[in-house]
Amino acid sequence: MRFTLNESPRKLHVAAAQIGPIYENESRGEVVERLIDLMEEAARRKAQLVCYTECALSTFFPRMLLSDEELLKYFEKSMPSPATQPLFDRAKDLGIGFHLGYAELSEDGRYNTSILVDAEGRIVGKYRKAHIPGTAEPVPEQRFQHLERRYFKEGDTGFKVWDAFGCRVGMAICNDRRWPETWRCMGIQGVELVIVGWNTPLTHYRKAKSYSRLAEFHNKLSMQAGCYQNGTWAVGVAHCGEEEPGYILMGQSMIVSPLGEIVAMSYVNEDDLVDAVIDLDLCREIKEGVFNFELYRRPDLYKLIVQ
Ligand code: ING
């Protein structure tokens, strides 16, 4: 039996570095150590790109109502920041690229942000979360809040695609993955790999009771549809586990093919590394086939979508 994958000139070894519960009293330094442990495992497995999750540096603080002062301790004022410099240094030593989601404090406001860093330690891409879920005001009867609309401005970067790691790479963050427009904007730019981190509370807010049993299905549905309908690979990375008693975040870090198949997925709710060697030329089966945009797409009929 011929092992042909190695002959594919465009293969990339990617890894999803899932992070388990991060407790409120855990320091940035302790979290970065966990991230570096996962990066070293990725390097041992010869991965070329390790992907972290959304807001990977702290507990998922939008569950709490915080004062402006308490809030600021969760934000990075620069990138690299003093806390994340060791991550950049280790990555450069190991010659491995990475994706990182973090809470960004910039001169024009607070954003839910992610960056793509190449194997030389250069930030080659930056994305700010467009679709900000939850509420700006606490919901009185809820034990856990989801105050992302209080803490983050809606992202202004739009959905870009960069040439990196020998392919076309895009980024999205959490709720973005549920919106087909996110994927299509990158699909139109020829994306071949989408990296998306998530913090998805299984303990859905009260009004979502009707579908909270479907949380894991909706996650797979969003990821698999996005990949298939745009002919792209995706690496999805969870921040998961029980952050405090009764507040449980979903896992399911996964790698999905352009055919819409989940080729690897985490089956635990703690720190975990899920990796795969992906064949980027598989995207062409879709991009030149069933979803050949040039041939089949009808933008003349889609104006409603942007009105
Ligand atoms: N979290 C959730 C997500 O989109 C959510 C918010 C949960 C929206 C369930 C709708 C239903 O996965 C973040 N951080 O966006």
Side-chain angles (χ1 to χ4, degrees):
M1 196 274 275
R2 283 163 47 83
F3 181 61
T4 57
L5 189 57
N6 279 342
E7 287 167 9
S8 153
R10 300 189 66 225
K11 68 179 172 64
L12 181 65
H13 194 155
V14 296
Q18 172 173 290
I19 190 94
I22 302 176
Y23 303 117
E24 216 179 314
N25 59 4
E26 205 163 331
S27 74
R28 260 318 182 294
E30 286 166 307
V31 177
V32 168
E33 269 174 39
R34 288 166 62 183
L35 300 182
I36 290 175
D37 286 348
L38 288 161
M39 181 181 281
E40 289 178 348
E41 174 58 21
R44 270 191 294 277
R45 301 188 195 179
K46 305 264 182 286
Q48 295 154 278
L49 167 59
V50 59
C51 304
Y52 296 114
T53 188
E54 168 192 32
C55 289
L57 300 170
S58 74
T59 196
F60 192 58
F61 57 89
R63 71 171 180 279
M64 303 179 275
L65 177 59
L66 302 166
S67 68
D68 279 357
E69 189 190 344
E70 288 167 325
L71 180 64
L72 288 188
K73 74 174 192 281
Y74 290 104
F75 283 74
E76 304 306 305
K77 297 149 188 74
S78 65
M79 189 50 68
S81 55
T84 53
Q85 190 59 55
L87 191 66
F88 280 76
D89 296 345
R90 194 75 188 101
K92 204 164 173 184
D93 294 345
L94 293 168
I96 190 168
F98 66 95
H99 156 279
L100 177 71
Y102 65 98
E104 176 196 9
L105 179 68
S106 78
E107 63 287 344
D108 67 336
R110 298 185 303 254
Y111 292 97
N112 188 336
T113 299
S114 64
I115 51 170
L116 185 63
V117 183
D118 69 14
E120 287 72 44
R122 283 188 301 259
I123 297 178
V124 295
K126 179 172 173 179
Y127 170 71
R128 289 169 166 170
K129 184 175 182 179
H131 302 97
I132 305 290
T135 60
E137 293 304 322
V139 177
E141 66 276 17
Q142 272 181 206
R143 181 176 167 207
F144 298 110
Q145 300 299 324
H146 197 107
L147 292 168
E148 287 194 62
R149 295 191 71 82
R150 187 184 189 88
Y151 299 147
F152 298 120
K153 277 175 80 171
E154 291 184 323
D156 54 358
T157 57
F159 310 101
K160 295 194 179 82
V161 174
W162 296 274
D163 289 317
F165 302 97
C167 66
R168 302 279 292 150
V169 187
M171 291 186 276
I173 299 178
C174 205
N175 196 254
D176 288 326
R177 76 191 184 286
R178 300 177 191 277
W179 296 82
E181 295 87 347
T182 301
W183 297 90
R184 183 59 99 220
C185 285
M186 291 188 277
I188 289 169
Q189 299 172 75
V191 74
E192 296 170 306
L193 173 62
V194 174
I195 308 170
V196 48
W198 58 74
N199 287 261
T200 301
L202 286 180
T203 43
H204 278 315
Y205 353 108
R206 191 182 44 75
K207 63 180 179 301
K209 268 266 184 304
S210 57
Y211 58 70
S212 56
R213 66 182 175 80
L214 294 172
E216 297 190 347
F217 168 66
H218 287 162
N219 182 45
K220 290 179 180 176
L221 182 65
S222 304
M223 293 296 288
Q224 290 179 265
C227 287
Y228 167 59
Q229 291 169 344
N230 294 281
T232 180
W233 287 93
V235 176
V237 195
H239 174 182
C240 62
E242 192 156 12
E243 292 259 287
E244 66 172 276
Y247 186 78
I248 300 161
L249 290 165
M250 181 185 69
Q252 285 199 338
S253 295
M254 62 177 72
I255 297 169
V256 185
S257 91
L259 308 184
E261 276 190 310
I262 296 171
V263 299
M265 187 171 85
S266 177
Y267 49 85
V268 295
N269 272 340
E270 56 200 37
D271 294 18
D272 190 19
L273 198 83
V274 176
D275 69 302
V277 178
I278 65 174
D279 173 4
L280 293 156
D281 282 340
L282 190 60
C283 298
R284 294 174 53 188
E285 300 252 329
I286 298 288
K287 291 181 191 290
E288 294 170 9
V290 61
F291 293 118
N292 178 329
F293 291 172
E294 196 63 37
L295 182 56
Y296 300 126
R297 231 179 125 249
R298 295 292 311 279
D300 55 314
L301 301 181
Y302 305 156
K303 289 185 179 44
L304 214 52
I305 292 178
V306 288
Q307 272 155 6

